[in-house]
Amino acid sequence: MDGPMRFDTKCIHAGQSPDPSTGAICTPVYQTSTYVQESPGRFKGEYDYSRSANPTRTALEANLASLEGGSHALAFSSGVASLAATLHLLKSGDNVVLCDDVYGGTYRVFKMVFEQLGITATRVDMTDAGAVESAMTDKTKLVWLETPTNPTLKVIDIERMGQIARTHGALLAVDNTFATPVLQNPLALGADIVSHSSTKYIGGHADVVGGALVTKDEGLHTRLKYIQNAVGAVPGPWDCFLLLRSTKTLHLRVQRHCENAEKMAAFLSQHPKIERIVYPGDESHPQREIVKKQMCRGGGMITAFLKGGLDEARRFLEQVHLFSLAESLGGVESLIEHPAIMTHASVPADERAKLGITDGLVRFSVGIEDTQDQIDDVERALAAV
Ligand SMILES: *Cc1c(COP(=O)(O)O)cnc(C)c1O
């Protein structure tokens, strides 16, 4: 194609050109571990061994780099593997400033794996820039945040966090899993690294576990690529193929997730059995001004606080049918879950209480089914509470 592509075109075409040997329009699944060399050390392009590089993965990486407005991307075998690769940039004695309300598995890898290696993590409520400023020390090498956060959907000002990180000589990494590059582009707002669990919206069909890191800095990319190959948590070519098929509809899926979630949020916020909801696309959201500044729409995730406690939440979750009770999010099918018992069980109870992850908190991943069917399902289940 001549000239730069716009976002929707990039979803479908970036990183992919017809296969040079056959003209196949889709990048093939290069299901191979090794590549035949013409002469010792002389091989085609960068391909000598599939941990180091594989053409199906190369296409996915180029596609994701383009969607995030980066120059390079690296694909990993899971979202936590991309986080771990980022942490391998650090050494013993270094500190990370981390947002308080992170994905349970992110908290766990910091606490149970990297702390033992002498890398400390300071957790802060990043909706408070002053608190972040005071948490920074001369040992802080990385600021890691998720926005919107999981599961309380707080929205953190990426641009402001980038300024703070730069002032202290630290890198800013943003986990963009919830927003997706359709709604938010952290690199354009000053982040150095964007991380994804491509298991969620990027994959979108609940059939792949994967992760990715995107950068626009050559030096940083080279260091991360070295770690990707040295530590080795790479995805197989088949998973890369599935993710490439998924990104072709990412723009359509995410807009529909938003549309359905906006309607569900409006329904839930009026319902007498719901105490309150948190949805970035709703005017009532506490950081609504920041949402408007950095996201183009509210996303597909809604957090609702049911009146009552565990019994009411349990009853409700046993009664929904279209919404499947399951961990994970971001797929075409609607999912629902109870963070205190499910995804955030690895966060200690006192920490959960501090974060506001109460027993009445239910997290909705609104899928792309018919909106009225979704609302009917939730209405019927709430009636049974
Ligand atoms: C799921 C998730 C992760 C972890 O990704 P995996 O693919 O499960 O390893 C990290 N961050 C966020 C925001 C997530 O939702």
Side-chain angles (χ1 to χ4, degrees):
M1 217 192 113
D2 300 326
M5 292 182 260
R6 293 177 180 81
F7 189 87
D8 294 4
T9 310
K10 287 181 182 178
C11 284
I12 297 162
H13 295 286
Q16 300 153 87
S17 40
D19 183 54
S21 59
T22 62
I25 195 161
C26 293
T27 304
V29 181
Y30 283 89
Q31 195 76 44
T32 188
S33 61
T34 192
Y35 308 84
V36 177
Q37 308 196 0
E38 287 162 33
S39 145
R42 216 164 81 217
F43 43 90
K44 292 188 167 63
E46 53 178 333
Y47 304 110
D48 62 341
Y49 185 63
S50 277
R51 174 164 27 76
S52 315
N54 175 285
T56 318
R57 197 173 91 214
T58 304
L60 173 64
E61 291 175 339
N63 182 260
L64 294 176
S66 174
L67 296 186
E68 281 292 3
S71 53
H72 298 283
L74 295 165
F76 291 86
S77 54
S78 70
V80 292
S82 14
L83 163 63
T86 309
L87 293 180
H88 281 304
L89 291 169
L90 309 182
K91 58 182 192 322
S92 177
D94 289 348
N95 168 259
V96 182
V97 169
L98 174 68
C99 70
D100 55 358
D101 184 27
V102 277
Y103 175 70
T106 298
Y107 174 78
R108 183 172 56 201
V109 77
F110 272 100
K111 195 78 202 155
M112 305 308 286
V113 180
F114 282 90
E115 242 182 50
Q116 291 182 52
L117 303 179
I119 296 164
T120 58
T122 313
R123 296 169 71 220
V124 204
D125 176 0
M126 291 195 178
T127 58
D128 178 354
V132 180
E133 281 280 9
S134 358
M136 303 292 291
T137 69
D138 55 1
K139 301 236 181 308
T140 306
K141 296 294 173 342
L142 177 70
V143 174
W144 179 282
L145 66 88
E146 260 175 56
T147 182
T149 69
N150 181 2
T152 60
L153 300 176
K154 289 193 282 198
V155 171
I156 297 165
D157 187 338
I158 297 173
E159 198 174 11
R160 184 81 187 88
M161 295 303 121
Q163 290 160 354
I164 296 175
R166 265 192 307 284
T167 310
H168 292 82
L171 295 172
L172 173 66
V174 175
D175 182 334
N176 205 28
T177 301
F178 271 37
T180 83
V182 181
L183 305 178
Q184 173 173 282
N185 293 116
L187 294 176
L189 297 163
D192 300 288
I193 300 172
V194 172
S195 177
H196 274 284
S197 166
S198 16
T199 316
K200 315 297 166 52
Y201 288 102
I202 289 185
H205 296 71
D207 51 10
V208 183
V209 172
L213 294 176
V214 190
T215 55
K216 56 182 164 78
D217 178 292
E218 195 70 38
L220 187 54
H221 168 71
T222 304
R223 287 163 69 201
L224 288 166
K225 188 172 170 60
Y226 186 88
I227 293 165
Q228 181 198 39
N229 182 51
V231 180
V234 293
W238 179 243
D239 283 355
C240 295
F241 174 86
L242 286 173
L243 290 171
L244 273 172
R245 158 182 269 220
S246 292
T247 55
K248 289 186 202 296
T249 57
L250 183 67
H251 53 307
L252 298 177
R253 286 187 284 112
V254 171
Q255 294 298 351
R256 182 60 188 270
H257 282 291
C258 293
E259 199 177 306
N260 286 4
E262 284 159 11
K263 290 180 180 142
M264 181 61 76
F267 168 76
L268 289 171
S269 56
Q270 300 299 319
H271 199 284
K273 287 185 182 161
I274 302 289
E275 193 176 283
R276 67 187 172 93
I277 64 150
V278 185
Y279 178 57
D282 195 84
E283 284 305 326
S284 68
H285 191 281
Q287 290 88 38
R288 185 63 187 153
E289 287 314 306
I290 299 163
V291 174
K292 285 184 183 152
K293 186 173 90 166
Q294 69 189 27
M295 292 177 77
C296 56
R297 235 173 147 175
M301 302 298 296
I302 303 173
T303 288
F305 294 84
L306 261 71
K307 286 184 183 157
L310 195 55
D311 288 346
E312 285 74 11
R314 200 184 288 279
R315 180 98 188 116
F316 171 64
L317 292 169
E318 285 168 357
Q319 290 297 319
V320 281
H321 300 306
L322 183 60
F323 277 81
S324 301
L325 180 60
E327 300 198 3
S328 200
L329 60 105
V332 290
E333 52 285 283
S334 290
L335 300 183
I336 196 159
E337 70 112 3
H338 192 268
I341 297 177
M342 296 167 67
T343 47
H344 289 64
S346 58
V347 179
D350 57 327
E351 298 273 353
R352 283 203 305 269
K354 249 187 275 170
L355 294 170
I357 306 175
T358 61
D359 287 346
L361 189 163
V362 170
R363 188 186 79 181
F364 292 73
S365 171
V366 181
I368 61 172
E369 300 96 343
D370 183 274
T371 305
Q372 196 56 47
D373 285 342
Q374 294 174 340
I375 291 177
D376 289 350
D377 187 46
V378 171
E379 186 163 36
R380 204 186 26 71
L382 282 170
V385 174

